[in-house]
Amino acid sequence: MSFVDKIRNSNRLKFSFGKSSDLIVIFNQRVDALSMYSTNFGLGIPSNLSMENQLRGVFKIVNEENGIFLFNISHVNLVRAKKGFVNFDEAAESNMITEWELSLILQNEDYLNKTIFHNGILELVLTQTGIKVKWN
Amino acid sequence: MELREKIRDIIGTRLVEIKKKDSAISLYFENGDHKDVFQFDGLIFETPLTSVNKKVKLAEINNNLGIKALSQLRYENKNPLEYKQLLIQMENQSDEWKTELICVFKKIKITKRALVHSR
C-alpha cells in the first residue's frame, strides 16, 4: 500500500501543513485532508481571530479530536524551525509561518506524536542529524 | 510567451523600484539593456530586509496562495480562488532572514522596455 493510500484510508481527522504549492493542494485532495485552503480551516475556526490564534486553534482542535498532522517538509527550513522563534510575528514577517508551525509541533510532544512527516510521496522521519525515509 | 516564461525572465535581473498606490503596484527590474515592468492590482508582502537593488534568484507563480495572502483576502471579503501568487526571492538571503516578495493578483501586465544609455 502506498503512503498516499495509507493516509487516505485512515478514518482519523487529517490536517495538512506545508509550503504553498499546487502539488500540496493535489496531495490534500488525494488523502482527503483539511488545510489552510479549507474554509475556516474546515474546523469552523472564526476568521476574525488573529492568524496566530487561528493556527493555534487548528492545533488544539485536531489534537483534541485525536487527529493526524500531515507535514510536508519540502522547502521548509528545518534549522530555523528547530531553533524556534521569539514570537509568531517574527516568523510571519520573515515568511516563515510553516517553520513556526513546525517549531510548535517540535515543542509539543502530543502534537509530535500525532504528526506524520512526508514529502508528498514518501513518509519521512526527522532525526537529530537530518531526514530519512521511513521504510516499512 | 507564456506568463510563467515571462516571469522566469526576471531571474538574474535587479529589482530597482517598487511603486505602490493603494492596491496598484508596479515592480521594475533591470538587467543592463532592458527593463521589465510588472504592473498589477493586488497585494504585496515584503520581508523586513529591503529587496530593492538586489538580484532576483527565483521567481515562480503559483495558483495556490500562502496563508498570509489567504488571510488578507478573506479579511477583505475577496475570493482567494480568483488570485495567483508570485514569489520573488533575492540573492544572498540567509537561513535567518529571507529577502523576498510575495505578490498577489488576478491579472498582471508585463512590459519589456529597452534602456537608453546616454553617452
Side-chain angles (χ1 to χ4, degrees):
Chain A
M1 189 187 290
S2 75
F3 167 65
V4 169
D5 290 336
K6 183 180 125 184
I7 299 298
R8 186 175 50 230
N9 291 341
S10 168
N11 292 323
R12 291 168 69 186
L13 175 65
K14 290 160 264 183
F15 196 92
S16 173
F17 295 99
K19 292 283 181 188
S20 57
S21 77
D22 296 346
L23 290 177
I24 203 164
V25 173
I26 294 167
F27 174 84
N28 296 345
Q29 289 166 348
R30 288 180 68 197
V31 301
D32 194 23
L34 300 174
S35 73
M36 64 179 174
Y37 299 107
S38 317
T39 305
N40 297 115
F41 296 88
L43 299 167
I45 292 177
S47 52
N48 59 352
L49 295 177
S50 69
M51 205 191 311
E52 176 182 4
N53 284 338
Q54 288 183 48
L55 290 169
R56 287 190 184 275
V58 167
F59 280 104
K60 186 172 185 291
I61 292 172
V62 175
N63 186 49
E64 285 172 357
E65 297 283 329
N66 194 31
I68 305 170
F69 300 111
L70 299 167
F71 205 105
N72 187 327
I73 60 168
S74 305
H75 307 296
V76 175
N77 184 336
L78 300 180
V79 174
R80 197 65 187 84
K82 283 182 180 172
K83 186 179 172 191
F85 297 89
V86 175
N87 53 37
F88 178 80
D89 290 343
E90 184 194 14
E93 280 183 3
S94 309
N95 292 345
M96 291 195 187
I97 295 176
T98 318
E99 283 79 2
W100 178 85
E101 292 163 343
L102 178 55
S103 73
L104 220 60
I105 289 172
L106 296 175
Q107 290 163 26
N108 185 310
E109 205 172 330
D110 270 359
Y111 298 168
L112 190 56
N113 290 335
K114 293 184 173 84
T115 302
I116 295 174
F117 296 102
H118 67 97
N119 63 2
I121 301 168
L122 295 169
E123 187 169 347
L124 305 170
V125 181
L126 292 188
T127 67
Q128 288 296 326
T129 51
I131 308 158
K132 63 180 183 181
V133 175
K134 182 177 180 180
W135 302 106
N136 290 328
Chain B
M1 197 190 283
E2 269 193 38
L3 179 60
R4 280 179 197 277
E5 287 176 56
K6 285 183 182 174
I7 283 171
R8 272 200 295 267
D9 233 24
I10 61 163
I11 295 174
T13 65
R14 191 174 296 276
L15 175 67
V16 291
E17 190 176 2
I18 302 172
K19 279 187 188 169
K20 187 173 186 307
K21 190 178 178 192
D22 300 325
S23 60
I25 297 159
S26 302
L27 306 177
Y28 299 82
F29 305 90
E30 279 184 16
N31 90 334
D33 61 352
H34 72 267
K35 181 183 270 189
D36 290 289
V37 185
F38 286 18
Q39 291 170 298
F40 58 92
D41 196 68
L43 304 173
I44 186 165
F45 301 98
E46 190 177 3
T47 49
L49 287 184
T50 180
S51 307
V52 174
N53 285 325
K54 292 196 171 71
K55 269 190 172 182
V56 176
K57 183 180 81 173
L58 179 144
E60 62 181 26
I61 196 161
N62 196 328
N63 289 320
N64 296 292
L65 314 182
I67 192 161
K68 264 184 168 176
L70 279 174
S71 297
Q72 185 61 33
L73 289 170
R74 284 172 181 157
Y75 177 75
E76 294 179 12
N77 284 324
K78 292 174 179 167
N79 182 2
L81 295 175
E82 295 174 350
Y83 288 80
K84 289 182 172 66
Q85 178 169 296
L86 168 64
L87 170 68
I88 301 172
Q89 282 183 349
M90 304 306 181
E91 282 185 348
N92 300 324
Q93 62 176 0
S94 70
D95 277 349
E96 289 292 315
W97 300 104
K98 288 184 179 179
T99 313
E100 62 184 31
L101 296 168
I102 291 175
C103 307
V104 182
F105 48 80
K106 287 183 182 176
K107 285 182 184 171
I108 187 165
K109 183 182 173 192
I110 300 177
T111 47
K112 198 178 277 290
R113 298 174 189 165
L115 286 174
V116 181
H117 297 286
S118 56
R119 296 184 181 219

Short mmCIF file of all heavy atoms in Angstrom, two decimals, chain A residues 19-22 25 36-39 41 51 55 77 79-80 83 90 92-97 99 101, chain B residues 4 45-48 61-68 70-71 74 85 94-98 100-102:
data_model
loop_
_atom_site.label_atom_id
_atom_site.label_comp_id
_atom_site.label_asym_id
_atom_site.label_seq_id
_atom_site.Cartn_x
_atom_site.Cartn_y
_atom_site.Cartn_z
N LYS A 19 4.56 24.18 2.72
CA LYS A 19 4.70 25.40 1.92
C LYS A 19 3.65 25.38 0.80
O LYS A 19 3.39 24.32 0.22
CB LYS A 19 6.09 25.47 1.30
CG LYS A 19 7.21 25.68 2.31
CD LYS A 19 7.26 27.10 2.78
CE LYS A 19 8.38 27.31 3.77
NZ LYS A 19 8.34 28.65 4.39
N SER A 20 3.07 26.55 0.50
CA SER A 20 2.03 26.59 -0.52
C SER A 20 2.59 26.20 -1.88
O SER A 20 3.64 26.67 -2.28
CB SER A 20 1.41 27.99 -0.60
OG SER A 20 2.41 28.94 -0.85
N SER A 21 1.89 25.29 -2.53
CA SER A 21 2.27 24.91 -3.89
C SER A 21 1.07 24.19 -4.50
O SER A 21 0.17 23.75 -3.79
CB SER A 21 3.48 23.96 -3.90
OG SER A 21 3.08 22.67 -3.53
N ASP A 22 1.07 24.12 -5.82
CA ASP A 22 -0.03 23.42 -6.48
C ASP A 22 -0.02 21.94 -6.11
O ASP A 22 -1.06 21.30 -5.99
CB ASP A 22 0.08 23.59 -8.00
CG ASP A 22 -0.08 25.06 -8.41
OD1 ASP A 22 -0.53 25.86 -7.57
OD2 ASP A 22 0.26 25.40 -9.56
N VAL A 25 -1.78 21.04 -2.77
CA VAL A 25 -3.24 21.07 -2.87
C VAL A 25 -3.75 19.76 -3.46
O VAL A 25 -4.74 19.19 -2.99
CB VAL A 25 -3.68 22.29 -3.72
CG1 VAL A 25 -5.17 22.25 -3.99
CG2 VAL A 25 -3.33 23.58 -2.99
N MET A 36 -5.16 24.87 5.18
CA MET A 36 -5.47 26.31 5.21
C MET A 36 -6.36 26.71 4.04
O MET A 36 -6.96 27.78 4.05
CB MET A 36 -4.17 27.11 5.18
CG MET A 36 -3.36 26.95 3.93
SD MET A 36 -1.88 27.98 4.03
CE MET A 36 -1.02 27.48 2.54
N TYR A 37 -6.44 25.86 3.00
CA TYR A 37 -7.27 26.19 1.85
C TYR A 37 -8.75 25.89 2.11
O TYR A 37 -9.61 26.33 1.37
CB TYR A 37 -6.80 25.42 0.60
CG TYR A 37 -5.38 25.79 0.23
CD1 TYR A 37 -4.34 24.91 0.45
CD2 TYR A 37 -5.10 27.04 -0.29
CE1 TYR A 37 -3.04 25.27 0.15
CE2 TYR A 37 -3.81 27.40 -0.60
CZ TYR A 37 -2.78 26.52 -0.38
OH TYR A 37 -1.49 26.88 -0.67
N SER A 38 -9.05 25.11 3.17
CA SER A 38 -10.44 24.81 3.51
C SER A 38 -11.05 26.05 4.18
O SER A 38 -10.36 26.72 4.96
CB SER A 38 -10.50 23.63 4.48
OG SER A 38 -9.61 22.59 4.10
N THR A 39 -12.30 26.32 3.91
CA THR A 39 -12.97 27.48 4.53
C THR A 39 -12.93 27.32 6.05
O THR A 39 -13.30 26.25 6.57
CB THR A 39 -14.43 27.57 4.03
OG1 THR A 39 -14.41 27.60 2.61
CG2 THR A 39 -15.11 28.82 4.57
N PHE A 41 -10.55 26.72 7.79
CA PHE A 41 -9.65 25.57 8.01
C PHE A 41 -10.44 24.25 8.09
O PHE A 41 -9.91 23.23 8.52
CB PHE A 41 -8.82 25.75 9.30
CG PHE A 41 -7.88 26.93 9.25
CD1 PHE A 41 -8.29 28.18 9.63
CD2 PHE A 41 -6.58 26.77 8.78
CE1 PHE A 41 -7.44 29.28 9.56
CE2 PHE A 41 -5.72 27.86 8.71
CZ PHE A 41 -6.15 29.11 9.11
N MET A 51 -4.23 35.65 12.91
CA MET A 51 -3.73 34.48 12.19
C MET A 51 -3.10 33.47 13.15
O MET A 51 -3.29 32.26 13.04
CB MET A 51 -2.71 34.92 11.14
CG MET A 51 -2.58 33.96 9.99
SD MET A 51 -1.16 34.32 8.93
CE MET A 51 -1.32 36.06 8.62
N LEU A 55 -4.33 29.56 13.83
CA LEU A 55 -3.46 28.39 13.69
C LEU A 55 -3.36 27.62 15.01
O LEU A 55 -3.37 26.38 15.01
CB LEU A 55 -2.07 28.82 13.20
CG LEU A 55 -2.05 29.31 11.75
CD1 LEU A 55 -0.71 29.96 11.42
CD2 LEU A 55 -2.31 28.16 10.79
N ASN A 77 12.60 25.25 6.05
CA ASN A 77 13.91 25.47 6.67
C ASN A 77 13.93 24.78 8.04
O ASN A 77 13.47 25.35 9.05
CB ASN A 77 14.15 26.98 6.79
CG ASN A 77 15.52 27.31 7.32
OD1 ASN A 77 16.15 26.50 8.01
ND2 ASN A 77 16.00 28.50 7.00
N VAL A 79 16.39 23.91 10.01
CA VAL A 79 17.29 24.51 11.01
C VAL A 79 16.58 25.64 11.74
O VAL A 79 16.60 25.73 12.96
CB VAL A 79 18.58 25.03 10.32
CG1 VAL A 79 19.46 25.78 11.30
CG2 VAL A 79 19.35 23.87 9.69
N ARG A 80 15.89 26.47 10.97
CA ARG A 80 15.18 27.62 11.56
C ARG A 80 14.02 27.15 12.44
O ARG A 80 13.79 27.71 13.52
CB ARG A 80 14.66 28.51 10.42
CG ARG A 80 14.28 29.89 10.84
CD ARG A 80 15.48 30.66 11.33
NE ARG A 80 15.08 31.95 11.89
CZ ARG A 80 14.66 32.12 13.14
NH1 ARG A 80 14.59 31.09 13.96
NH2 ARG A 80 14.31 33.31 13.57
N LYS A 83 15.32 25.85 15.68
CA LYS A 83 15.79 26.94 16.54
C LYS A 83 14.62 27.65 17.22
O LYS A 83 14.72 28.12 18.35
CB LYS A 83 16.59 27.94 15.68
CG LYS A 83 17.24 29.04 16.48
CD LYS A 83 18.02 29.98 15.59
CE LYS A 83 18.49 31.19 16.38
NZ LYS A 83 19.02 32.24 15.53
N GLU A 90 7.60 37.38 14.46
CA GLU A 90 8.94 37.23 13.89
C GLU A 90 8.90 36.27 12.70
O GLU A 90 9.51 36.51 11.65
CB GLU A 90 9.92 36.70 14.95
CG GLU A 90 11.34 36.62 14.44
CD GLU A 90 12.26 35.79 15.32
OE1 GLU A 90 11.78 35.04 16.19
OE2 GLU A 90 13.48 35.87 15.13
N ALA A 92 6.12 35.43 10.95
CA ALA A 92 5.22 35.93 9.89
C ALA A 92 5.91 36.98 9.03
O ALA A 92 5.81 36.96 7.81
CB ALA A 92 3.96 36.50 10.52
N GLU A 93 6.65 37.88 9.68
CA GLU A 93 7.35 38.94 8.92
C GLU A 93 8.38 38.36 7.95
O GLU A 93 8.65 38.93 6.91
CB GLU A 93 8.06 39.89 9.89
CG GLU A 93 7.15 40.92 10.50
CD GLU A 93 7.91 41.88 11.39
OE1 GLU A 93 9.14 41.78 11.48
OE2 GLU A 93 7.24 42.72 12.01
N SER A 94 8.97 37.23 8.36
CA SER A 94 10.02 36.63 7.54
C SER A 94 9.49 35.56 6.59
O SER A 94 10.27 34.78 6.05
CB SER A 94 11.08 35.99 8.44
OG SER A 94 11.50 36.90 9.41
N ASN A 95 8.17 35.52 6.40
CA ASN A 95 7.56 34.49 5.55
C ASN A 95 7.97 33.08 5.98
O ASN A 95 8.31 32.25 5.15
CB ASN A 95 7.91 34.71 4.06
CG ASN A 95 7.27 35.96 3.50
OD1 ASN A 95 6.36 36.51 4.10
ND2 ASN A 95 7.76 36.41 2.37
N MET A 96 7.97 32.86 7.28
CA MET A 96 8.36 31.54 7.81
C MET A 96 7.24 30.96 8.68
O MET A 96 7.52 30.36 9.72
CB MET A 96 9.65 31.65 8.62
CG MET A 96 10.86 31.96 7.77
SD MET A 96 12.39 31.66 8.66
CE MET A 96 13.59 32.30 7.54
N ILE A 97 6.01 31.14 8.25
CA ILE A 97 4.89 30.63 9.07
C ILE A 97 4.91 29.09 9.10
O ILE A 97 4.62 28.50 10.14
CB ILE A 97 3.54 31.18 8.55
CG1 ILE A 97 3.52 32.70 8.75
CG2 ILE A 97 2.37 30.54 9.29
CD1 ILE A 97 2.30 33.39 8.21
N GLU A 99 7.57 27.26 9.06
CA GLU A 99 8.62 26.93 10.02
C GLU A 99 8.11 27.12 11.46
O GLU A 99 8.42 26.33 12.36
CB GLU A 99 9.87 27.79 9.78
CG GLU A 99 10.72 27.38 8.59
CD GLU A 99 10.18 27.84 7.25
OE1 GLU A 99 9.13 28.52 7.22
OE2 GLU A 99 10.80 27.51 6.21
N GLU A 101 4.98 26.76 12.40
CA GLU A 101 4.09 25.62 12.66
C GLU A 101 4.90 24.38 13.05
O GLU A 101 4.55 23.66 13.99
CB GLU A 101 3.23 25.32 11.42
CG GLU A 101 2.22 26.42 11.12
CD GLU A 101 1.65 26.36 9.70
OE1 GLU A 101 2.23 25.69 8.82
OE2 GLU A 101 0.62 27.01 9.47
N ARG B 4 4.40 32.16 -17.29
CA ARG B 4 5.47 31.56 -16.47
C ARG B 4 6.85 31.89 -17.04
O ARG B 4 7.79 32.14 -16.30
CB ARG B 4 5.29 30.04 -16.40
CG ARG B 4 4.26 29.63 -15.38
CD ARG B 4 4.06 28.12 -15.33
NE ARG B 4 2.83 27.80 -14.65
CZ ARG B 4 2.68 27.73 -13.33
NH1 ARG B 4 3.72 27.93 -12.56
NH2 ARG B 4 1.52 27.46 -12.78
N PHE B 45 3.63 41.62 -0.15
CA PHE B 45 4.23 41.43 1.18
C PHE B 45 5.74 41.38 1.00
O PHE B 45 6.25 40.58 0.22
CB PHE B 45 3.78 40.10 1.81
CG PHE B 45 2.30 39.97 1.98
CD1 PHE B 45 1.54 39.27 1.05
CD2 PHE B 45 1.65 40.53 3.06
CE1 PHE B 45 0.17 39.13 1.20
CE2 PHE B 45 0.29 40.40 3.23
CZ PHE B 45 -0.46 39.70 2.30
N GLU B 46 6.44 42.24 1.75
CA GLU B 46 7.90 42.28 1.65
C GLU B 46 8.50 41.93 3.00
O GLU B 46 8.02 42.43 4.03
CB GLU B 46 8.34 43.68 1.22
CG GLU B 46 9.80 43.77 0.86
CD GLU B 46 10.20 45.17 0.36
OE1 GLU B 46 9.36 46.08 0.36
OE2 GLU B 46 11.36 45.33 0.00
N THR B 47 9.50 41.10 3.03
CA THR B 47 10.18 40.79 4.30
C THR B 47 10.97 42.04 4.74
O THR B 47 11.25 42.91 3.92
CB THR B 47 11.12 39.58 4.13
OG1 THR B 47 11.92 39.77 2.99
CG2 THR B 47 10.34 38.29 4.01
N PRO B 48 11.32 42.14 6.05
CA PRO B 48 11.89 43.39 6.56
C PRO B 48 13.14 43.88 5.83
O PRO B 48 13.33 45.08 5.67
CB PRO B 48 12.21 43.06 8.01
CG PRO B 48 11.24 42.00 8.37
CD PRO B 48 11.07 41.17 7.13
N ILE B 61 5.38 31.44 -10.14
CA ILE B 61 3.96 31.75 -9.97
C ILE B 61 3.25 30.49 -9.51
O ILE B 61 3.63 29.37 -9.87
CB ILE B 61 3.37 32.32 -11.28
CG1 ILE B 61 2.05 32.99 -11.00
CG2 ILE B 61 3.25 31.28 -12.35
CD1 ILE B 61 1.63 33.94 -12.09
N ASN B 62 2.24 30.70 -8.67
CA ASN B 62 1.55 29.59 -8.05
C ASN B 62 0.06 29.89 -8.05
O ASN B 62 -0.35 31.00 -7.71
CB ASN B 62 2.08 29.50 -6.60
CG ASN B 62 1.76 28.20 -5.93
OD1 ASN B 62 0.73 27.59 -6.21
ND2 ASN B 62 2.63 27.79 -5.04
N ASN B 63 -0.75 28.92 -8.42
CA ASN B 63 -2.20 29.14 -8.40
C ASN B 63 -2.77 29.07 -6.99
O ASN B 63 -3.92 29.42 -6.77
CB ASN B 63 -2.89 28.08 -9.26
CG ASN B 63 -2.63 28.32 -10.73
OD1 ASN B 63 -2.62 29.46 -11.19
ND2 ASN B 63 -2.37 27.25 -11.47
N ASN B 64 -1.99 28.57 -6.04
CA ASN B 64 -2.45 28.44 -4.67
C ASN B 64 -1.66 29.39 -3.78
O ASN B 64 -0.44 29.43 -3.82
CB ASN B 64 -2.30 27.00 -4.21
CG ASN B 64 -3.20 26.09 -5.02
OD1 ASN B 64 -4.40 26.15 -4.92
ND2 ASN B 64 -2.59 25.28 -5.89
N LEU B 65 -2.38 30.14 -2.98
CA LEU B 65 -1.77 31.21 -2.19
C LEU B 65 -1.24 30.69 -0.87
O LEU B 65 -1.67 29.66 -0.37
CB LEU B 65 -2.81 32.29 -1.91
CG LEU B 65 -3.68 32.75 -3.09
CD1 LEU B 65 -4.62 33.86 -2.64
CD2 LEU B 65 -2.84 33.20 -4.25
N GLY B 66 -0.33 31.45 -0.28
CA GLY B 66 0.15 31.16 1.06
C GLY B 66 -0.83 31.70 2.09
O GLY B 66 -1.78 32.42 1.76
N ILE B 67 -0.58 31.37 3.37
CA ILE B 67 -1.57 31.71 4.40
C ILE B 67 -1.69 33.21 4.62
O ILE B 67 -2.76 33.71 4.94
CB ILE B 67 -1.25 30.96 5.70
CG1 ILE B 67 -2.43 31.09 6.66
CG2 ILE B 67 0.05 31.44 6.35
CD1 ILE B 67 -2.45 30.07 7.74
N LYS B 68 -0.59 33.96 4.42
CA LYS B 68 -0.66 35.41 4.59
C LYS B 68 -1.66 36.01 3.61
O LYS B 68 -2.52 36.81 3.99
CB LYS B 68 0.71 36.02 4.30
CG LYS B 68 1.56 36.26 5.50
CD LYS B 68 2.81 36.94 5.00
CE LYS B 68 3.62 37.50 6.10
NZ LYS B 68 4.87 38.08 5.61
N LEU B 70 -3.95 34.40 1.83
CA LEU B 70 -5.29 33.85 2.06
C LEU B 70 -6.01 34.63 3.15
O LEU B 70 -7.17 35.04 2.99
CB LEU B 70 -5.18 32.39 2.52
CG LEU B 70 -4.98 31.31 1.47
CD1 LEU B 70 -4.75 29.97 2.16
CD2 LEU B 70 -6.17 31.20 0.54
N SER B 71 -5.32 34.86 4.26
CA SER B 71 -5.93 35.55 5.40
C SER B 71 -6.32 36.98 5.02
O SER B 71 -7.40 37.44 5.36
CB SER B 71 -4.96 35.61 6.58
OG SER B 71 -4.68 34.34 7.03
N ARG B 74 -9.31 37.00 2.59
CA ARG B 74 -10.55 36.63 3.29
C ARG B 74 -11.01 37.79 4.18
O ARG B 74 -12.19 38.06 4.28
CB ARG B 74 -10.33 35.36 4.12
CG ARG B 74 -10.30 34.10 3.26
CD ARG B 74 -9.88 32.89 4.06
NE ARG B 74 -9.84 31.68 3.22
CZ ARG B 74 -9.12 30.60 3.51
NH1 ARG B 74 -8.39 30.57 4.60
NH2 ARG B 74 -9.15 29.56 2.71
N GLN B 85 -0.41 33.79 -6.97
CA GLN B 85 0.66 34.31 -6.12
C GLN B 85 2.00 34.22 -6.85
O GLN B 85 2.31 33.19 -7.44
CB GLN B 85 0.71 33.51 -4.82
CG GLN B 85 1.83 33.95 -3.89
CD GLN B 85 1.70 33.33 -2.51
OE1 GLN B 85 0.74 33.59 -1.80
NE2 GLN B 85 2.66 32.52 -2.13
N SER B 94 19.72 34.70 3.93
CA SER B 94 20.30 33.73 4.85
C SER B 94 19.20 32.84 5.42
O SER B 94 18.01 33.07 5.18
CB SER B 94 20.98 34.47 6.00
OG SER B 94 20.01 35.08 6.81
N ASP B 95 19.61 31.82 6.20
CA ASP B 95 18.64 30.97 6.87
C ASP B 95 17.82 31.80 7.85
O ASP B 95 16.64 31.54 8.08
CB ASP B 95 19.34 29.85 7.64
CG ASP B 95 19.68 28.69 6.71
OD1 ASP B 95 19.18 28.68 5.58
OD2 ASP B 95 20.44 27.81 7.14
N GLU B 96 18.48 32.79 8.46
CA GLU B 96 17.82 33.60 9.48
C GLU B 96 16.83 34.58 8.85
O GLU B 96 15.74 34.78 9.36
CB GLU B 96 18.87 34.40 10.27
CG GLU B 96 19.72 33.56 11.18
CD GLU B 96 18.92 32.99 12.34
OE1 GLU B 96 18.15 33.72 12.96
OE2 GLU B 96 19.07 31.79 12.62
N TRP B 97 17.27 35.22 7.79
CA TRP B 97 16.48 36.29 7.20
C TRP B 97 16.28 36.08 5.71
O TRP B 97 17.24 36.04 4.95
CB TRP B 97 17.14 37.65 7.43
CG TRP B 97 17.32 37.96 8.87
CD1 TRP B 97 18.46 37.91 9.59
CD2 TRP B 97 16.29 38.33 9.80
NE1 TRP B 97 18.23 38.22 10.89
CE2 TRP B 97 16.90 38.49 11.06
CE3 TRP B 97 14.92 38.54 9.68
CZ2 TRP B 97 16.18 38.85 12.19
CZ3 TRP B 97 14.21 38.91 10.81
CH2 TRP B 97 14.84 39.06 12.05
N LYS B 98 15.02 35.96 5.33
CA LYS B 98 14.71 35.86 3.90
C LYS B 98 14.61 37.26 3.32
O LYS B 98 14.26 38.21 4.02
CB LYS B 98 13.36 35.18 3.71
CG LYS B 98 13.35 33.71 4.01
CD LYS B 98 11.97 33.18 3.69
CE LYS B 98 11.88 31.71 3.93
NZ LYS B 98 10.54 31.21 3.63
N GLU B 100 12.51 38.45 0.35
CA GLU B 100 11.60 38.03 -0.71
C GLU B 100 10.32 38.86 -0.73
O GLU B 100 9.98 39.53 0.24
CB GLU B 100 11.28 36.54 -0.61
CG GLU B 100 10.58 36.10 0.63
CD GLU B 100 10.40 34.59 0.70
OE1 GLU B 100 11.24 33.83 0.18
OE2 GLU B 100 9.41 34.15 1.29
N LEU B 101 9.67 38.78 -1.87
CA LEU B 101 8.40 39.48 -2.08
C LEU B 101 7.33 38.45 -2.41
O LEU B 101 7.60 37.50 -3.16
CB LEU B 101 8.49 40.42 -3.28
CG LEU B 101 9.46 41.59 -3.21
CD1 LEU B 101 9.61 42.20 -4.60
CD2 LEU B 101 8.94 42.62 -2.25
N ILE B 102 6.17 38.64 -1.85
CA ILE B 102 5.02 37.83 -2.25
C ILE B 102 4.02 38.79 -2.88
O ILE B 102 3.61 39.77 -2.25
CB ILE B 102 4.41 37.10 -1.05
CG1 ILE B 102 5.37 36.02 -0.55
CG2 ILE B 102 3.07 36.47 -1.42
CD1 ILE B 102 4.92 35.32 0.72
#
